[in-house]
Amino acid sequence: MGKNLNGKEIGHGIIQKKDGRYEARYIDRFGKRKSISGSDLKDVKKRLNEAIYENEKEINIKDNIRLDDWYLKWMNVYKYEMIRENTKRCYNQLYYHHISPYLGNMFLKDITQLNIRELIKRLDKEGYGYQVKNKAKVLLVDIFNKAMIDEFVHKNPAKGIQVRHDESKEIRVLSEEEQILFFDCCKGTFYDNFFITAVTTGMRIGELAALRWKDIDLDNKIIHVRRTLVYQKYEDDECKTFHLELPKTKTSIRDIPINRQCETALKKQYIQKNVIADKAPDEKKVEKEFLDLLFTTKFNTPLNAQIISDAIDKIIKEINLMRDVTNEMDTFSCHCFRHTFATRCFEAGIQPKTVQNYLGHATLQMTMDLYTHVLKEHQISEMDKLENNLELINEKSESLIDQQFDDQHDKNKNIIRFAGDRMVAK
């Protein structure tokens, strides 16, 4: 039993120091020596009993650790060989730019749901959209899930938080009229084949930019998506440059069927590529790993998003020259071709699971969430078809009843006659 300065017993594991403060010690279930101190003996005993109870019930945490320190452990242990380098860079950029400045120095156990909601609110005020806010939340959910497994926290403060879509910012899809206008105008232009391939396959811009002729199987009418071209500044780079990498996710490695329109565009691009490669000036020397790219600039160099955006803007400006200012076509990014492809698939009655495979989405839910509005419109049109079929069946039913009535009526005229209220044989 511990004693105070006067030699009086004050409880097991508790002592009074020379400065008059009390200290209680115990060893937790992780094998670490813990101490609780204070000037009020009653309060120290209370906190000691609570700590021992939590230890026995295994609801105490392992140790205090700051979010920044735990993020490094989470990345180096739980994400080791689980994510690709490009994904790792995205995680680091998201965490160190948007999460660490506000929560990184806090202990895991002290971070509450309120703190995370305030972080998301701050991102919203800074002008960040749904994608950044939701990715920050999703990242924190996984970080705290792993912290729970290792007993650094009791619960996950990021779980249950909903990040709302800004419904005013719907995904951009070309209407049928816009699609006709755009492709009529861009016929014969340098990037026409690129645009047609994009809208007929739904491939991402990086996947298209990384495409080689050997990735195309014309015999079986298939494009093999096996890599992506990234234009970024990595740690060892002096500036932004091109890097060939594996696609975004495992499901992004896929085969996409080629329709007749796409096949023609690819054949034309094959011819164009050979002409461009022969005419490319010597000063525009291309690195060996990029020599076999099918889609390139006029100088046979790799493509990036800005080059394609500029080409799209040029077409739209040409279209708008002949349109009233109140009816001008809005600009869009290359990703719009991907959304348009998916929309046309749904309009054609292709099953969502098949569309998911075409797009290379990791889950069917991702496809459903992105194209909810399209599916709703498609369901309404499909219901109209069902209604028409039911009407046809109903009309056939009425005709059948009429025919059966006539047959029965003719038959009965030969065997019965009415006598008052009674029916008697002739």
Side-chain angles (χ1 to χ4, degrees):
M1 295 290 284
K3 297 181 179 181
N4 63 12
L5 296 176
N6 297 323
K8 183 179 178 182
E9 292 180 350
I10 52 177
H12 182 71
I14 306 175
I15 61 169
Q16 187 177 25
K17 293 183 171 183
K18 292 180 179 180
D19 61 1
R21 291 175 62 82
Y22 298 95
E23 184 178 36
R25 294 179 179 178
Y26 71 100
I27 297 176
D28 69 12
R29 61 196 176 95
F30 307 111
K32 290 191 175 183
R33 183 180 292 277
K34 298 285 185 177
S35 65
I36 298 169
S37 62
S39 56
D40 186 336
L41 177 60
K42 188 176 179 180
D43 178 63
V44 170
K45 283 184 176 182
K46 179 185 176 184
R47 286 190 285 139
L48 175 63
N49 289 332
E50 288 174 350
I52 291 173
Y53 173 80
E54 289 181 357
N55 192 60
E56 290 175 349
K57 296 296 181 181
E58 298 186 356
I59 57 176
N60 56 327
I61 62 172
K62 185 178 290 185
D63 205 352
N64 280 344
I65 183 170
R66 298 185 190 278
L67 181 61
D68 275 349
D69 297 328
W70 177 245
Y71 174 77
L72 289 174
K73 288 182 180 291
W74 173 81
M75 180 63 79
N76 294 329
V77 176
Y78 285 106
K79 296 302 172 183
Y80 179 71
E81 292 188 341
M82 294 294 292
I83 58 174
R84 297 191 173 98
E85 280 300 313
N86 194 39
T87 306
K88 184 178 178 180
R89 281 189 289 273
C90 290
Y91 281 0
N92 284 338
Q93 183 177 12
L94 179 68
Y95 179 80
Y96 288 114
H97 281 76
H98 302 308
I99 299 175
S100 178
Y102 310 110
L103 301 178
N105 203 38
M106 293 181 68
F107 289 115
L108 289 181
K109 68 179 184 65
D110 295 331
I111 296 175
T112 65
Q113 191 172 97
L114 177 63
N115 296 134
I116 296 172
R117 288 185 183 277
E118 286 176 341
L119 168 67
I120 293 171
K121 185 178 178 182
R122 184 188 295 268
L123 291 173
D124 186 70
K125 286 184 174 180
E126 291 174 358
Y128 292 101
Y130 170 81
Q131 291 292 336
V132 171
K133 292 182 288 185
N134 192 57
K135 283 179 180 178
K137 190 265 296 191
V138 170
L139 193 69
L140 286 168
V141 167
D142 194 64
I143 287 171
F144 277 99
N145 275 342
K146 301 305 186 292
M148 287 175 66
I149 292 171
D150 284 301
E151 301 184 285
F152 285 109
V153 290
H154 299 312
K155 59 183 180 180
N156 190 334
K159 202 168 184 179
I161 294 176
Q162 297 292 325
V163 180
R164 295 179 62 184
H165 268 291
D166 184 353
E167 296 185 359
S168 64
K169 297 178 182 177
E170 289 187 357
I171 59 174
R172 177 82 161 92
V173 174
L174 295 179
S175 67
E176 290 184 9
E177 180 188 358
E178 287 177 323
Q179 191 168 340
I180 292 168
L181 284 169
F182 183 87
F183 284 97
D184 276 350
C185 187
C186 80
K187 278 179 183 175
T189 61
F190 186 80
Y191 294 108
D192 183 28
N193 301 323
F194 181 94
F195 297 145
I196 291 173
T197 307
V199 84
T200 56
T201 64
M203 291 172 67
R204 301 177 179 94
I205 184 172
E207 295 167 346
L208 282 163
L211 202 62
R212 301 161 293 187
W213 186 250
K214 66 180 179 180
D215 296 322
I216 299 163
D217 182 355
L218 288 181
D219 292 334
N220 295 301
K221 301 290 190 289
I222 288 172
I223 293 176
H224 303 293
V225 181
R226 296 293 181 265
R227 60 185 196 164
T228 189
L229 184 66
V230 179
Y231 184 62
Q232 285 185 1
K233 181 181 182 298
Y234 291 172
E235 290 180 8
D236 298 330
D237 296 334
E238 294 181 1
C239 59
K240 273 189 175 184
T241 188
F242 292 98
H243 301 272
L244 284 167
E245 298 187 353
L246 290 171
K248 190 175 179 181
T249 62
K250 287 183 179 179
T251 51
S252 295
I253 300 174
R254 63 199 188 279
D255 293 337
I256 305 175
I258 300 172
N259 62 23
R260 181 59 187 164
Q261 189 182 8
C262 180
E263 181 182 355
T264 302
L266 290 170
K267 287 178 178 177
K268 287 168 65 178
Q269 183 60 31
Y270 177 79
I271 298 168
Q272 180 174 303
K273 162 68 180 183
N274 282 278
V275 173
I276 292 301
D278 290 339
K279 292 174 67 175
D282 293 336
E283 65 269 17
K284 292 285 184 181
K285 289 184 179 179
V286 182
E287 293 180 35
K288 188 176 181 180
E289 62 178 330
F290 303 129
L291 283 173
D292 59 351
L293 296 179
L294 181 60
F295 293 104
T296 65
T297 69
K298 294 177 181 179
F299 304 107
N300 200 34
T301 53
L303 292 171
N304 61 35
Q306 188 59 56
I307 293 170
I308 297 300
S309 291
D310 291 344
I312 291 171
D313 288 345
K314 189 175 180 180
I315 301 298
I316 293 173
K317 285 177 182 177
E318 188 71 25
I319 292 170
N320 289 337
L321 282 175
M322 303 299 293
R323 294 171 75 85
D324 185 82
V325 69
T326 60
N327 196 30
E328 288 186 349
M329 186 173 176
D330 293 331
T331 190
F332 56 87
S333 70
C334 184
H335 210 67
C336 177
F337 291 127
R338 181 169 164 86
H339 293 319
T340 302
F341 166 78
T343 301
R344 300 288 104 90
C345 284
F346 287 123
E347 289 171 350
I350 297 174
Q351 293 298 312
K353 185 66 180 175
T354 304
V355 179
Q356 177 205 344
N357 293 334
Y358 289 165
L359 297 175
H361 283 161
T363 64
L364 179 59
Q365 189 63 47
M366 187 183 297
T367 308
M368 301 296 279
D369 287 346
L370 271 173
Y371 302 105
T372 300
H373 69 291
V374 179
L375 287 168
K376 283 181 180 178
E377 292 171 6
H378 178 63
Q379 287 168 355
I380 292 170
S381 64
E382 291 299 294
M383 185 57 74
D384 290 340
K385 292 179 185 177
L386 174 62
E387 185 178 346
N388 292 335
N389 285 339
L390 291 174
E391 278 295 326
L392 289 172
I393 293 171
N394 189 52
E395 289 174 8
K396 289 179 181 178
S397 173
E398 291 174 358
S399 299
L400 182 63
I401 292 170
D402 287 341
Q403 183 62 51
Q404 289 176 340
F405 173 79
D406 290 341
D407 292 344
Q408 188 66 45
H409 188 259
D410 291 341
K411 180 180 178 182
N412 287 346
K413 281 197 298 187
N414 296 323
I415 62 172
I416 62 172
R417 64 182 175 82
F418 288 94
D421 291 335
R422 291 179 304 120
M423 187 169 61
V424 297
K426 282 186 176 180

